[in-house]
Structures are given as C-alpha cells and as structure tokens.
C-alpha cells in the first residue's frame, strides 16, 4: 500500500450554512456576496451546506441553484457542496444538476456528499433516518454510475450533459474512522467537520485528537496512485481590534447554544466566553489570536484544504466579509496556507494528481 502524503501548503476556502437572521432572499444575496468576496481575495473554494426545513440549522435546501447563481458572478473559485444529503436526494437528479452546474461554471464543481442530515428531515421525503447508511450506499452507486457515464440502473441511459471528470471530484463527509476507510477505498476526498461529535464522557477532547485517526484510516485505504484529498472545516472569524469586543459579545449566546449540544446545557451555562470558545473549537478574534489558535490544530497539518465558516459565531454580514478578507490576506500567509489563482487551479486539478510517495 502506498504511503500517501498530502501536498503542501493547504488551500483555503470559504464555507457557509446560510444562517443570517434575515429573510431568505437576503440570506442568499449575502451568500453570493460572500462567495464573490472569497474569490476576490484568493480563496480557492466556496462550499455551501444543504439543509431541509429548519431555517435555524441551515437555510438552503437547493445548493445547486445557489451555486449556479454564484457561477455567473465568479470565474475561478471552486463551487462546492458541503454536503448533499444523498440518502434524501434522488441520486440521478442530483447527478444531473451537478453536471449542468459543472458545465456552466467551466468545470469548477466539487461534490461533497454524506449519509447524514437532520433525522427529522427524512420522513417528509419518505425515508427512515435509521436506514440512511444503506440508502446512501445504494444512492452513491447510482450517483457515481451516472457521473462516470455508465448505464444507469441497468439501462443504457447515460447522463446528459456528460459530467467530464466530475466523478473524480467527489468528497465524502464523515465523523467516523469507518467512514474515512470507505472514502479512502473509493478514492474520494475526505471531508472533516468543525462539529465533530465527542464520545460520551469526553467533551474536552481536542478536535484533532478525534480527526487524526480518521485521516490515518483514510490514508491507509487509498489505492496506490489515488490523490490524497482532505478538507478540514473550521469555525473562524477574524476581526479588527476595534470590532473585537462587539463581535465577541454578540457571539456569546450563539456559542453557548452550540456548546450545550457538546457538553450539555448545565455545563454550557457555567462556561465563560473563553470556555465557550474552547469547547466549540471556535477561532475568533484578531489576526494574532486566530493565527495562534489555528496553529495549535494538528489536523491542519495533514489537510489539503481548509475551509472557514463563521458559524456558530453568527456575525453580521459586514463582519463576515471582513473576516473572509483577513483570513486570506493576513492569516493564511502566516500559517503557510495557499491562496490565489494558483491555489484555485491546484484544487481544480487535485483529483488528477498522483500523490507522491513518502521517502525514508
């Protein structure tokens, strides 16, 4: 088995769950402005989440529609789903939408898929959340057959427009070592979440302690010559010193709600702001503060891509735009992360690159 190495440095990206406290039309306008800003300052990718029904968990049921609008306003940044809940979606329709989007964006699509999702979202689609892994496996087979140009569901029907190379730009999101092995064996990219669940009784485990074993399993399962692709999603909001106090004060109730899902409501209620930032793995503050906290995250040393989201800080739109800028222009250079046209081009071709072997 080839011992795969990740290329360095990691590329930066922007991620949004589209959660501003605003009507849907404004939320989508904000997201498009944020993606444009991310491209302008050199982020290699823009990722959007898919959530059904629950506006306070995520505001976008149709990611391909929003990304199509983004495609018309951008030219270099990768447009990516993080993630499509494949057990809910019809896999053929998802493949068709992805293929059309890839065509109109000039081949900029990156496809993140996963088995998960909010359990209550499954019944309206006639699905049982308990069956999601089995359905995911079935749907992923149909999805990849369609993207690869093979006959679909035993017929001679093939995808139009043809998805030129898109099947090789698949990423799988997972919280588990087993999921890392599955993604690696398939030769897909691995997506790691900033909201990795903690095992019972271990709320203080560091995020990289949970995720490095997943990366190891993924690396070990990759076939020889398959490209190593690991994306780490992180919460990061970078602010100017003059805005620091306001942003932290506004963030506290949001962080406390998120912390309650990790350590329980009683302990979350007792934590001060520093404690909330720590247990939620949030990187928030000035450039110096965010650089220092991100530098301690060992997952970033094995990632090929790092995508930053503002959740669960939930800042104002203007603060998000400024954070996107500071992450690219101030934080990334100090951490050795890659930005600019070369980074975007490298991601576009990452699935074609044979991973170098480790030398003794």
């Amino acid at each position: 088995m080839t011992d795969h190495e990740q290329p360095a440095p990691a590329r930066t990206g922007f991620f949004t769950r589209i959660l501003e406290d605003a009507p849907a039309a404004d939320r989508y306008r904000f997201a498009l402005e944020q993606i444009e800003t991310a491209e302008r300052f050199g982020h290699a990718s823009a990722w959007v989440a898919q959530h059904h029904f629950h506006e306070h968990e995520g505001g976008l049921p149709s990611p391909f529609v929003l990304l199509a609008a983004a495609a018309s306003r951008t030219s270099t940044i990768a447009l990516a789903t993080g993630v499509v809940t494949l057990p809910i979606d019809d896999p053929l329709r998802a493949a068709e939408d992805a293929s059309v989007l890839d065509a109109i964006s000039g081949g900029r699509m990156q496809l993140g898929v996963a088995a998960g999702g909010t359990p209550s979202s499954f019944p309206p689609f006639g699905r049982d959340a308990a069956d999601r892994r089995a359905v995911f496996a079935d749907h992923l087979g149909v999805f990849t057959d369609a993207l690869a140009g093979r006959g679909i569901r035993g017929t001679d029907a093939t995808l139009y427009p043809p998805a030129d190379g898109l099947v090789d730009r698949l990423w799988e999101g997972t919280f588990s070592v087993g999921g890392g092995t599955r993604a690696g064996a398939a030769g897909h990219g691995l997506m790691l979440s900033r909201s990795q669940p903690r095992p019972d009784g271990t709320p203080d485990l560091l995020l990289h302690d949970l995720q490095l074993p997943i990366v190891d399993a993924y690396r070990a399962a990759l076939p020889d010559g398959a490209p190593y692709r690991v994306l780490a999603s992180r919460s990061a909001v970078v602010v100017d010193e003059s805005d620091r106090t306001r942003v932290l004060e506004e963030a506290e109730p949001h962080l406390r709600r998120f912390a309650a899902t990790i350590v329980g409501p009683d302990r979350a209620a007792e934590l001060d702001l520093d404690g909330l930032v720590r247990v939620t793995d949030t990187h928030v503050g000035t450039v110096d503060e965010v650089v220092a906290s991100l530098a301690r995250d060992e997952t970033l040393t094995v990632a090929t891509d790092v995508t930053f989201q503002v959740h669960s800080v939930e800042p104002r739109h203007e603060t998000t735009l400024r954070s996107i800028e500071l992450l690219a222009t101030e934080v990334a250079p100090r951490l050795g992360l890659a930005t600019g046209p070369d980074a975007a081009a490298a991601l576009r071709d990452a699935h074609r690159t044979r991973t170098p072997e480790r030398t003794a």
Side-chain angles (χ1 to χ4, degrees):
M1 180 64 66
T2 300
D3 193 2
H4 297 268
E5 289 274 12
Q6 77 279 0
R11 299 170 286 260
T12 67
F14 168 68
F15 176 83
T16 179
R17 288 172 55 202
I18 308 182
L19 285 172
E20 284 85 1
D21 184 15
D26 289 332
R27 282 180 161 187
Y28 302 147
R29 175 173 58 84
F30 292 158
L32 292 171
E33 291 175 5
Q34 290 160 10
I35 292 170
E36 287 183 283
T37 300
E39 178 175 90
R40 183 163 68 252
F41 287 105
H43 291 283
S45 57
W47 301 73
V48 296
Q50 179 187 47
H51 291 89
H52 297 282
F53 310 119
H54 306 288
E55 65 177 292
H56 300 299
E57 182 176 339
L60 184 63
S62 301
F64 295 114
V65 174
L66 184 81
L67 290 176
S72 70
R73 300 166 65 149
T74 58
S75 59
T76 60
I77 196 167
L79 303 171
T81 56
V83 293
V84 172
T85 308
L86 210 53
I88 289 178
D89 275 25
D90 180 288
L92 178 54
R93 287 292 299 115
E96 289 180 323
D97 286 345
S99 184
V100 170
L101 177 54
D102 197 49
I104 66 175
S105 68
R108 289 188 282 141
M109 184 87 238
Q110 298 282 331
L111 273 172
V113 298
T118 307
S120 61
S121 296
F122 283 72
F125 287 93
R127 301 287 184 189
D128 187 339
D131 299 331
R132 64 186 181 276
R133 288 180 179 83
V135 176
F136 176 75
D138 175 65
H139 282 196
L140 184 61
V142 174
F143 192 60
T144 54
D145 280 348
L147 294 174
R150 295 188 286 265
I152 301 164
R153 292 190 170 114
T155 73
D156 58 3
T158 56
L159 195 66
Y160 182 84
D164 183 22
L166 188 52
V167 70
D168 296 319
R169 284 174 266 149
L170 277 173
W171 303 70
E172 289 191 46
T174 185
F175 291 134
S176 71
V177 168
T181 298
R182 181 186 64 232
H188 298 160
L190 174 68
M191 301 179 68
L192 301 171
S193 173
R194 56 104 200 190
S195 57
Q196 178 84 29
R198 269 60 170 176
D200 291 343
T202 59
D204 294 318
L205 272 179
L206 297 174
L207 194 53
H208 62 241
D209 289 332
L210 296 164
Q211 294 186 336
L212 290 176
I214 302 174
V215 175
D216 289 342
Y218 168 77
R219 187 196 304 264
L222 276 173
D224 288 348
Y228 173 98
R229 294 175 294 145
V230 174
L231 181 143
S233 177
R234 294 297 183 259
S235 295
V237 178
V238 191
V239 298
D240 297 302
E241 181 65 43
S242 58
D243 290 329
R244 182 180 184 277
T245 299
R246 174 186 61 80
V247 170
L248 288 171
E249 288 177 349
E250 292 176 353
E252 183 170 355
H254 303 292
L255 292 174
R256 199 171 299 281
R257 283 194 291 271
F258 183 38
T261 68
I262 300 171
V263 299
D266 292 340
R267 185 176 174 199
E270 297 171 353
L271 292 172
D272 61 12
L273 185 56
D274 288 340
L276 294 172
V277 167
R278 178 179 54 80
V279 301
T280 59
D281 296 289
T282 300
H283 307 276
V284 57
T286 63
V287 168
D288 287 343
E289 290 172 318
V290 172
V291 167
S293 61
L294 283 171
R296 294 190 290 269
D297 188 339
E298 296 178 19
T299 304
L300 272 57
T301 68
V302 298
T304 60
D305 296 86
V306 182
T307 185
F308 296 109
Q309 60 178 293
V310 299
H311 322 292
S312 294
V313 176
E314 315 302 352
R316 303 174 189 179
H317 175 52
E318 294 76 13
T319 302
T320 299
L321 296 177
R322 179 60 170 156
S323 180
I324 291 169
E325 176 184 355
L326 290 171
L327 281 164
T329 60
E330 300 288 342
V331 173
R334 289 176 56 178
L335 290 174
L337 302 175
T339 59
D342 288 347
L347 176 56
R348 185 166 177 168
D349 291 336
H351 61 287
R352 299 191 180 101
T353 305
R354 290 182 64 86
T355 309
E357 296 184 13
R358 186 190 301 274
T359 56

